[in-house]
Amino acid sequence: MTSYYPPISYTVPPLEDGWLLKTILQKRMDVSRKLLSRLKMTDLGITLNGERVYISVKVSTGDLVQIRMEEETSEDILPQPIPFEILYEDGHLLVVSKAAGMIVHPTHGHYTETLANGVVHYWAEKGERVRFRPVHRLDQETSGVLVIAKNPYSHQHISEQMIAGTVDKRYTAFVHGVPALPSGDIDGPIDRDPLEPHRRIVTPDGYPSLTRYEVKEVYGSAASRVELKLESGRTHQIRVHMGSVGCPLIGDGMYRHPLYGQAADSRAEASAPGEERRAGESAVTAGGEEQQVQELAVTADGAALPPGDAARLAQIAELDAAIPRQALHAVRLAFRHPVTHAELVFEAPLPTDMALLQEKLRQSAR
């Protein structure tokens, strides 16, 4: 016997008397064509006053229109008792605060220990049959608010809000340096780096991407805290955009400050040909320990970087070593509930590692 999630209901008002049921489903209940096709294939997918009918029938004032979706599970995801923080849950949504270091969904080489494994286990323990449907993603090392839909209808509606730009997604980041303007837009198309496909770059031929930023706190000239609002959702968008304006994220091992590269280039130019690759590899090693900085700041023949650059690189490396991941946190997410249409706002305070970094920056700026 088919099992269904609780129905989503709509009562026909007087102004819609005589409308086609199909029109009610598409124009008033906002059922997508794809979901409508799925609902028509099940016995209780679409009912009018409790009876299964064709969507070509006309409705009357006071009629009760209901849609029911079949229960689903993520059979390809292994349930694991992994703790995670819940901000909100009802029959349609689960909103969590994802921890840094946690992958959202199993991928090649990472089939376990993900947020999905933990959520699927949590639902199973509650006796709920729900498929894991994240509406959006956060990078593994990015913490913060994430919304998961518990049925296709909810996923469709929140996704449409994101496409329309009505979802308010805000992030807090700590970056090297201070942006030239206290607030502004970074409008730079993003696409894969042809030389390193796992990275992204700003390129004229990329996909349109827009990030709005506002400087919230400045720590001398060394660093600043910025709030960012995404108007598009490209992979690594904030990390790439902030790097493009000379303010890469503190702790980011992939999109590092350009001074690392300049120091490595200086070493490579002064090294024997066989040593160039090793010098380049040092430039992308994560960690930023003092010995690495000294190796980067001084070329093979003893010629140092300009004093100002060497001192700045040491400062940058010290900050990068103060946090084990990019200092980026999804602090706020606001959207309309897909069924009740109520405005929902969720916020997650800074996690411990970023709060400690903030205190370090404040202390150093005094």
Side-chain angles (χ1 to χ4, degrees):
M1 182 177 177
T2 303
S3 297
Y4 297 90
Y5 295 121
I8 296 173
S9 305
Y10 181 82
T11 300
V12 179
L15 288 177
E16 293 162 14
D17 184 85
W19 284 24
L20 294 178
L21 176 56
K22 179 180 179 180
T23 304
I24 295 293
L25 291 167
Q26 293 183 324
K27 302 298 184 181
R28 289 296 179 260
M29 299 182 73
D30 297 321
V31 177
S32 69
R33 289 184 179 180
K34 181 179 179 180
L35 180 55
L36 185 60
S37 296
R38 290 180 59 180
L39 295 172
K40 288 163 62 177
M41 299 297 291
T42 60
D43 289 338
L44 297 178
I46 302 169
T47 62
L48 181 66
N49 299 321
E51 300 292 331
R52 184 181 183 186
V53 295
Y54 291 106
I55 62 174
S56 57
V57 302
K58 292 184 178 182
V59 300
S60 301
T61 301
D63 279 351
L64 178 64
V65 180
Q66 292 182 311
I67 63 170
R68 294 174 178 84
M69 291 159 283
E70 293 180 276
E71 291 184 347
E72 301 173 277
T73 58
S74 296
E75 296 180 357
D76 57 336
I77 298 176
L78 176 68
Q80 289 181 291
I82 299 171
F84 59 92
E85 182 181 357
I86 297 175
L87 300 179
Y88 174 85
E89 185 178 19
D90 62 17
H92 308 280
L93 305 172
L94 172 66
V95 183
V96 305
S97 180
K98 187 187 85 69
M102 180 178 283
I103 297 174
V104 172
H105 199 284
T107 59
H108 180 69
H110 293 91
Y111 300 109
T112 59
E113 305 299 325
T114 71
L115 176 63
N117 299 112
V119 170
V120 168
H121 178 271
Y122 162 74
W123 282 332
E125 289 291 294
K126 293 177 61 181
E128 293 189 27
R129 289 172 51 84
V130 183
R131 181 179 170 186
F132 184 77
R133 285 185 173 87
V135 181
H136 58 120
R137 304 290 177 94
L138 294 176
D139 292 342
Q140 179 178 357
E141 299 301 336
T142 300
S143 55
V145 185
L146 180 79
V147 59
I148 301 159
K150 297 178 72 171
N151 56 58
Y153 183 84
S154 296
H155 189 278
Q156 169 208 323
H157 275 255
I158 303 174
S159 297
E160 288 175 350
Q161 291 178 55
M162 289 189 172
I163 293 171
T166 58
V167 174
D168 187 5
K169 293 189 290 184
R170 295 182 188 269
Y171 294 75
T172 290
F174 292 93
V175 302
H176 292 292
V178 182
L181 298 174
S183 63
D185 296 346
I186 305 174
D187 189 355
I190 292 176
D191 205 348
R192 292 182 183 272
D193 184 338
L195 301 179
E196 299 179 82
H198 63 287
R199 289 168 51 92
R200 301 297 191 272
I201 57 173
V202 173
T203 172
D205 298 325
Y207 297 95
S209 308
L210 177 62
T211 303
R212 304 187 191 280
Y213 75 88
E214 182 178 355
V215 178
K216 292 295 187 179
E217 194 169 5
V218 174
Y219 313 103
S221 60
S224 52
R225 175 171 64 89
V226 295
E227 181 179 275
L228 305 116
K229 181 179 180 182
L230 291 182
E231 299 296 346
S232 52
R234 309 301 175 197
T235 300
H236 301 172
Q237 178 172 321
I238 288 174
R239 300 162 67 188
V240 172
H241 270 174
M242 292 311 298
S244 73
V245 296
C247 296
L249 272 60
I250 294 173
D252 194 336
M254 179 177 290
Y255 300 99
R256 306 188 80 188
H257 197 284
L259 270 180
Y260 285 107
Q262 293 176 29
D265 290 344
S266 296
R267 287 192 65 196
E269 291 174 2
S271 300
E275 297 179 359
E276 291 182 6
R277 181 174 180 178
R278 187 172 64 184
E281 289 174 347
S282 297
V284 296
T285 301
E289 290 84 354
E290 183 178 354
Q291 183 178 354
Q292 287 179 308
V293 177
Q294 291 174 347
E295 291 175 354
L296 288 171
V298 181
T299 62
D301 63 356
L305 286 174
D309 287 348
R312 176 63 177 140
L313 178 57
Q315 184 183 54
I316 290 166
E318 180 183 357
L319 291 179
D320 283 339
I323 187 168
R325 49 106 174 189
Q326 69 258 14
L328 181 62
H329 178 67
V331 68
R332 186 177 191 270
L333 188 69
F335 57 92
R336 285 186 300 102
H337 192 284
V339 177
T340 68
H341 305 296
E343 185 71 17
L344 302 178
V345 180
F346 302 102
E347 295 185 346
L350 284 181
T352 302
D353 58 354
M354 287 183 64
L356 290 173
L357 175 62
Q358 179 174 247
E359 184 57 30
K360 177 181 175 67
L361 290 168
R362 286 172 175 172
Q363 292 286 347
S364 64
R366 289 177 181 172

